[in-house]
Amino acid sequence: IVLMDLLFFFIVGRLYNTSTRGIDILFPWGIFGTLGAIYPSIANDFAFLRHSISMYDIMCSWPIILFVYSLMLLALGIGFGVAIVRSHHRRHVLRSRIIEAMTLLCLFVLPYLKSDSFHLHHWFGMWFLGMQSNAPEWWSRTFQAFALGSYVNGIAVYGRDPILGCQLAFYRSTNLDCEFMQCYMEDL
């Protein structure tokens, strides 16, 4: 499954494109790929980042510094999104990239979004966003390297957990005749 993820990342992320420098170079791939692999683990060391994105947590326990951090990330994300759109528009590929992004969204996100078990793991989010960061400019490739590093961190540290964790575990335990589920199956 990881190989399929990387194949999608390679194709959709346009890593095969010879007009950009390869991925075997120190900048941006070596440096930002490493930062992407390290940052998610280091982020756990910052106490102000140990909060969830829920209405209760935001209203009641988010410290001011987390609001500042979130606003900076939001501004950076919006700026990056505008820059990607401008780059695609300038190269006359915006329409195809929008169709591609919507297709991938319909295939990989929308079918699962309504489920109560849906959990957007950081490996999945960075894999998805990294594929969309496929402009030839250095800043786009830098984010792509960071996203690939974060993907590697997610699957290396936590495993490639499914985005429908509870539902998949329940499905596997009930359909593979696990003995500990016999009491549940008997009550049906």
Side-chain angles (χ1 to χ4, degrees), residues 100-169:
E100 180 180 277
M102 290 298 118
T103 302
L104 291 171
L105 189 72
C106 289
L107 287 174
F108 294 116
V109 178
L110 290 181
Y112 309 110
L113 203 55
K114 289 175 63 176
S115 173
D116 292 339
S117 295
F118 180 73
H119 176 75
L120 185 63
H121 294 283
H122 80 276
W123 70 262
F124 183 81
M126 294 309 266
W127 171 76
F128 191 82
L129 291 175
M131 286 191 296
Q132 308 310 313
S133 175
N134 53 22
E137 288 85 7
W138 68 269
W139 45 266
S140 178
R141 294 299 180 179
T142 298
F143 177 75
Q144 198 171 42
F146 184 85
L148 186 60
S150 293
Y151 166 80
V152 168
N153 171 280
I155 62 169
V157 174
Y158 303 103
R160 194 181 177 282
D161 290 339
I163 57 176
L164 294 181
C166 294
Q167 250 181 357
L168 184 64

Side-chain angles (χ1 to χ4, degrees), residues 31-47:
I31 295 169
F32 286 93
T34 302
L35 285 174
I38 293 171
Y39 178 74
S41 294
I42 291 175
N44 289 328
D45 294 337
F46 296 104

Side-chain angles (χ1 to χ4, degrees), residues 78-97:
I78 290 171
F80 185 78
V82 168
I84 283 282
V85 168
R86 289 181 68 198
S87 172
H88 291 334
H89 179 58
R90 186 181 67 252
R91 293 178 293 110
H92 306 292
V93 295
L94 181 60
R95 183 178 299 145
S96 68
R97 295 302 197 274

